[in-house]
Every structure is written in C-alpha cells, then in structure tokens.
Short mmCIF file of all heavy atoms in Angstrom, two decimals:
data_model
loop_
_atom_site.label_atom_id
_atom_site.label_comp_id
_atom_site.label_asym_id
_atom_site.label_seq_id
_atom_site.Cartn_x
_atom_site.Cartn_y
_atom_site.Cartn_z
N ALA A 1 0.82 -1.22 0.00
CA ALA A 1 0.00 0.00 0.00
C ALA A 1 0.85 1.27 0.00
O ALA A 1 0.31 2.37 0.06
CB ALA A 1 -0.93 0.00 1.21
N GLY A 2 2.18 1.09 -0.06
CA GLY A 2 3.07 2.25 -0.12
C GLY A 2 3.61 2.71 1.21
O GLY A 2 4.28 3.75 1.28
N HIS A 3 3.34 1.96 2.29
CA HIS A 3 3.86 2.34 3.60
C HIS A 3 5.31 1.88 3.73
O HIS A 3 5.69 0.83 3.21
CB HIS A 3 3.01 1.73 4.71
CG HIS A 3 1.60 2.19 4.70
ND1 HIS A 3 0.75 2.04 5.77
CD2 HIS A 3 0.84 2.81 3.74
CE1 HIS A 3 -0.45 2.53 5.48
NE2 HIS A 3 -0.41 3.00 4.25
N ARG A 4 6.13 2.64 4.49
CA ARG A 4 7.55 2.34 4.60
C ARG A 4 7.91 1.84 6.00
O ARG A 4 7.53 2.46 6.99
CB ARG A 4 8.38 3.59 4.30
CG ARG A 4 8.30 4.07 2.87
CD ARG A 4 9.27 5.24 2.64
NE ARG A 4 8.98 6.37 3.52
CZ ARG A 4 9.77 6.77 4.52
NH1 ARG A 4 10.88 6.11 4.80
NH2 ARG A 4 9.43 7.83 5.25
N PRO A 5 8.66 0.74 6.08
CA PRO A 5 9.13 0.28 7.39
C PRO A 5 10.21 1.20 7.94
O PRO A 5 11.07 1.69 7.20
CB PRO A 5 9.72 -1.11 7.10
CG PRO A 5 9.28 -1.47 5.73
CD PRO A 5 9.03 -0.20 5.00
N ARG A 6 10.16 1.43 9.25
CA ARG A 6 11.24 2.14 9.94
C ARG A 6 12.28 1.12 10.41
O ARG A 6 13.48 1.39 10.40
CB ARG A 6 10.66 2.90 11.12
CG ARG A 6 11.64 3.79 11.84
CD ARG A 6 10.92 4.99 12.43
NE ARG A 6 10.41 4.74 13.78
CZ ARG A 6 9.71 5.68 14.44
NH1 ARG A 6 9.42 6.83 13.87
NH2 ARG A 6 9.27 5.44 15.66
N SER A 7 11.80 -0.04 10.82
CA SER A 7 12.67 -1.16 11.16
C SER A 7 11.80 -2.41 11.18
O SER A 7 10.57 -2.33 11.17
CB SER A 7 13.35 -0.96 12.52
OG SER A 7 12.39 -0.99 13.57
N VAL A 8 12.45 -3.57 11.22
CA VAL A 8 11.75 -4.86 11.32
C VAL A 8 12.39 -5.66 12.44
O VAL A 8 13.61 -5.66 12.60
CB VAL A 8 11.83 -5.64 9.99
CG1 VAL A 8 11.17 -7.01 10.13
CG2 VAL A 8 11.17 -4.86 8.86
N LEU A 9 11.55 -6.31 13.25
CA LEU A 9 12.00 -7.19 14.32
C LEU A 9 11.61 -8.61 13.95
O LEU A 9 10.44 -8.87 13.66
CB LEU A 9 11.34 -6.78 15.64
CG LEU A 9 11.72 -7.61 16.87
CD1 LEU A 9 13.08 -7.17 17.39
CD2 LEU A 9 10.67 -7.44 17.98
N VAL A 10 12.56 -9.53 13.97
CA VAL A 10 12.26 -10.87 13.48
C VAL A 10 13.07 -11.91 14.26
O VAL A 10 14.18 -11.63 14.72
CB VAL A 10 12.57 -10.96 11.96
CG1 VAL A 10 14.07 -10.77 11.69
CG2 VAL A 10 12.07 -12.26 11.36
N GLN A 11 12.48 -13.09 14.42
CA GLN A 11 13.23 -14.22 14.96
C GLN A 11 13.97 -14.91 13.82
O GLN A 11 13.54 -14.84 12.67
CB GLN A 11 12.27 -15.17 15.67
CG GLN A 11 11.73 -14.58 16.98
CD GLN A 11 10.21 -14.54 17.01
OE1 GLN A 11 9.58 -13.96 16.13
NE2 GLN A 11 9.61 -15.14 18.02
N PRO A 12 15.09 -15.58 14.11
CA PRO A 12 15.95 -16.10 13.03
C PRO A 12 15.23 -16.96 11.99
O PRO A 12 15.49 -16.81 10.79
CB PRO A 12 16.99 -16.92 13.81
CG PRO A 12 17.06 -16.26 15.15
CD PRO A 12 15.66 -15.81 15.45
N LYS A 13 14.32 -17.81 12.41
CA LYS A 13 13.70 -18.73 11.45
C LYS A 13 12.79 -18.03 10.46
O LYS A 13 12.41 -18.61 9.44
CB LYS A 13 12.93 -19.82 12.19
CG LYS A 13 11.77 -19.32 13.04
CD LYS A 13 11.12 -20.47 13.80
CE LYS A 13 10.03 -19.98 14.74
NZ LYS A 13 9.41 -21.08 15.50
N TRP A 14 12.39 -16.76 10.75
CA TRP A 14 11.51 -16.03 9.85
C TRP A 14 12.24 -15.00 9.01
O TRP A 14 11.61 -14.28 8.23
CB TRP A 14 10.42 -15.31 10.66
CG TRP A 14 9.60 -16.20 11.53
CD1 TRP A 14 9.73 -16.41 12.87
CD2 TRP A 14 8.51 -17.03 11.11
NE1 TRP A 14 8.79 -17.30 13.31
CE2 TRP A 14 8.02 -17.70 12.26
CE3 TRP A 14 7.89 -17.26 9.89
CZ2 TRP A 14 6.96 -18.59 12.21
CZ3 TRP A 14 6.82 -18.15 9.84
CH2 TRP A 14 6.38 -18.80 10.98
N LEU A 15 13.56 -14.92 9.15
CA LEU A 15 14.31 -13.86 8.49
C LEU A 15 14.09 -13.86 6.98
O LEU A 15 13.91 -12.81 6.36
CB LEU A 15 15.80 -13.99 8.82
CG LEU A 15 16.73 -12.96 8.19
CD1 LEU A 15 16.34 -11.55 8.62
CD2 LEU A 15 18.19 -13.25 8.58
N GLY A 16 14.09 -15.03 6.38
CA GLY A 16 13.94 -15.11 4.93
C GLY A 16 12.63 -14.55 4.41
O GLY A 16 12.56 -14.09 3.25
N GLU A 17 11.58 -14.53 5.25
CA GLU A 17 10.28 -14.05 4.80
C GLU A 17 10.17 -12.54 4.77
O GLU A 17 9.30 -11.99 4.10
CB GLU A 17 9.16 -14.62 5.70
CG GLU A 17 8.95 -16.12 5.55
CD GLU A 17 7.63 -16.56 6.13
OE1 GLU A 17 6.73 -15.70 6.30
OE2 GLU A 17 7.48 -17.75 6.45
N VAL A 18 11.04 -11.86 5.51
CA VAL A 18 10.89 -10.40 5.62
C VAL A 18 12.04 -9.61 5.03
O VAL A 18 11.94 -8.39 4.89
CB VAL A 18 10.70 -9.97 7.10
CG1 VAL A 18 9.47 -10.62 7.69
CG2 VAL A 18 11.94 -10.29 7.93
N GLU A 19 13.13 -10.27 4.65
CA GLU A 19 14.29 -9.53 4.14
C GLU A 19 13.93 -8.62 2.98
O GLU A 19 14.34 -7.47 2.91
CB GLU A 19 15.39 -10.50 3.73
CG GLU A 19 16.19 -11.06 4.90
CD GLU A 19 17.33 -11.94 4.44
OE1 GLU A 19 17.05 -13.00 3.85
OE2 GLU A 19 18.50 -11.56 4.65
N LEU A 20 13.14 -9.15 2.03
CA LEU A 20 12.80 -8.36 0.85
C LEU A 20 11.78 -7.26 1.17
O LEU A 20 11.68 -6.28 0.42
CB LEU A 20 12.26 -9.27 -0.25
CG LEU A 20 13.25 -10.29 -0.82
CD1 LEU A 20 12.57 -11.15 -1.88
CD2 LEU A 20 14.48 -9.59 -1.42
N LEU A 21 11.03 -7.41 2.27
CA LEU A 21 10.01 -6.42 2.62
C LEU A 21 10.60 -5.20 3.31
O LEU A 21 10.00 -4.13 3.30
CB LEU A 21 8.96 -7.06 3.54
CG LEU A 21 8.18 -8.25 2.97
CD1 LEU A 21 7.29 -8.85 4.06
CD2 LEU A 21 7.34 -7.83 1.78
N ALA A 22 11.77 -5.37 3.91
CA ALA A 22 12.34 -4.32 4.75
C ALA A 22 12.88 -3.15 3.93
O ALA A 22 13.01 -2.05 4.46
CB ALA A 22 13.43 -4.89 5.64
N GLY A 23 13.21 -3.38 2.67
CA GLY A 23 13.81 -2.31 1.89
C GLY A 23 15.15 -1.91 2.49
O GLY A 23 16.01 -2.77 2.74
N GLU A 24 15.34 -0.63 2.77
CA GLU A 24 16.59 -0.16 3.36
C GLU A 24 16.53 -0.08 4.88
O GLU A 24 17.51 0.34 5.52
CB GLU A 24 16.95 1.22 2.78
CG GLU A 24 17.17 1.19 1.28
CD GLU A 24 17.50 2.56 0.73
OE1 GLU A 24 17.52 3.53 1.54
OE2 GLU A 24 17.75 2.68 -0.48
N ALA A 25 15.40 -0.46 5.47
CA ALA A 25 15.25 -0.37 6.92
C ALA A 25 16.07 -1.45 7.62
O ALA A 25 16.25 -2.55 7.08
CB ALA A 25 13.78 -0.52 7.31
N PRO A 26 16.58 -1.20 8.81
CA PRO A 26 17.33 -2.23 9.54
C PRO A 26 16.41 -3.37 9.98
O PRO A 26 15.24 -3.16 10.31
CB PRO A 26 17.89 -1.48 10.74
CG PRO A 26 16.98 -0.31 10.93
CD PRO A 26 16.51 0.07 9.56
N VAL A 27 16.96 -4.57 9.96
CA VAL A 27 16.25 -5.76 10.43
C VAL A 27 16.94 -6.24 11.70
O VAL A 27 18.12 -6.61 11.67
CB VAL A 27 16.26 -6.88 9.36
CG1 VAL A 27 15.57 -8.13 9.90
CG2 VAL A 27 15.58 -6.40 8.08
N TYR A 28 16.22 -6.19 12.81
CA TYR A 28 16.77 -6.62 14.09
C TYR A 28 16.37 -8.07 14.33
O TYR A 28 15.18 -8.41 14.40
CB TYR A 28 16.24 -5.75 15.22
CG TYR A 28 16.56 -4.28 15.03
CD1 TYR A 28 15.56 -3.30 15.14
CD2 TYR A 28 17.85 -3.85 14.74
CE1 TYR A 28 15.85 -1.95 14.97
CE2 TYR A 28 18.16 -2.51 14.56
CZ TYR A 28 17.15 -1.57 14.67
OH TYR A 28 17.44 -0.24 14.49
N VAL A 29 17.36 -8.95 14.46
CA VAL A 29 17.13 -10.38 14.67
C VAL A 29 17.32 -10.69 16.14
O VAL A 29 18.37 -10.38 16.72
CB VAL A 29 18.09 -11.22 13.81
CG1 VAL A 29 17.81 -12.71 14.01
CG2 VAL A 29 17.96 -10.85 12.34
N VAL A 30 16.27 -11.26 16.75
CA VAL A 30 16.32 -11.56 18.19
C VAL A 30 15.82 -12.98 18.43
O VAL A 30 15.12 -13.56 17.59
CB VAL A 30 15.44 -10.57 19.00
CG1 VAL A 30 15.93 -9.14 18.81
CG2 VAL A 30 13.97 -10.69 18.60
N THR A 31 16.17 -13.54 19.56
CA THR A 31 15.66 -14.85 19.94
C THR A 31 14.21 -14.74 20.39
O THR A 31 13.70 -13.65 20.67
CB THR A 31 16.49 -15.44 21.09
OG1 THR A 31 16.33 -14.61 22.24
CG2 THR A 31 17.97 -15.53 20.71
N ASP A 32 13.54 -15.88 20.49
CA ASP A 32 12.16 -15.89 20.98
C ASP A 32 12.07 -15.28 22.37
O ASP A 32 11.14 -14.53 22.67
CB ASP A 32 11.63 -17.33 21.03
CG ASP A 32 11.48 -17.96 19.65
OD1 ASP A 32 11.80 -17.29 18.65
OD2 ASP A 32 11.06 -19.13 19.58
N ALA A 33 13.04 -15.60 23.23
CA ALA A 33 13.02 -15.11 24.61
C ALA A 33 13.17 -13.59 24.66
O ALA A 33 12.47 -12.91 25.41
CB ALA A 33 14.13 -15.78 25.42
N VAL A 34 14.07 -13.05 23.84
CA VAL A 34 14.25 -11.60 23.81
C VAL A 34 13.00 -10.92 23.29
O VAL A 34 12.56 -9.88 23.82
CB VAL A 34 15.48 -11.23 22.95
CG1 VAL A 34 15.53 -9.72 22.70
CG2 VAL A 34 16.76 -11.68 23.63
N ALA A 35 12.38 -11.49 22.24
CA ALA A 35 11.16 -10.90 21.68
C ALA A 35 10.05 -10.85 22.73
O ALA A 35 9.33 -9.85 22.85
CB ALA A 35 10.69 -11.71 20.47
N GLU A 36 9.92 -11.92 23.53
CA GLU A 36 8.86 -11.95 24.55
C GLU A 36 9.15 -10.96 25.68
O GLU A 36 8.23 -10.26 26.14
CB GLU A 36 8.72 -13.36 25.11
CG GLU A 36 7.57 -13.49 26.10
CD GLU A 36 7.24 -14.94 26.44
OE1 GLU A 36 7.85 -15.85 25.83
OE2 GLU A 36 6.37 -15.14 27.30
#
C-alpha cells in the first residue's frame, strides 16, 4: 500500500520471509526469549 518500514524485528527462522520487505530499513534479529 506504499507504507515504509522504519525497522523490522524478526526471529531467526523467519528472516527469509521479511528480508525483501524491509527495503533499506534495519532488520533486528532476536531470539524468541528476547522478543517476549
């Protein structure tokens, strides 16, 4: 819809699904425990 990510937070196993969506925004990879 044309909205821009400022950043993306992702667990390692999902990284491949969001890499292309992030554009130039940083992707922060964290463990499940850190995310919770």
Side-chain angles (χ1 to χ4, degrees):
H3 298 196
R4 293 185 301 112
R6 186 150 89 182
S7 67
V8 176
L9 181 79
V10 65
Q11 290 124 304
K13 62 184 176 181
W14 303 100
L15 180 59
E17 291 196 20
V18 300
E19 282 184 295
L20 295 178
L21 299 174
E24 298 179 359
V27 178
Y28 302 129
V29 181
V30 300
T31 64
D32 293 0
V34 169
E36 184 168 355

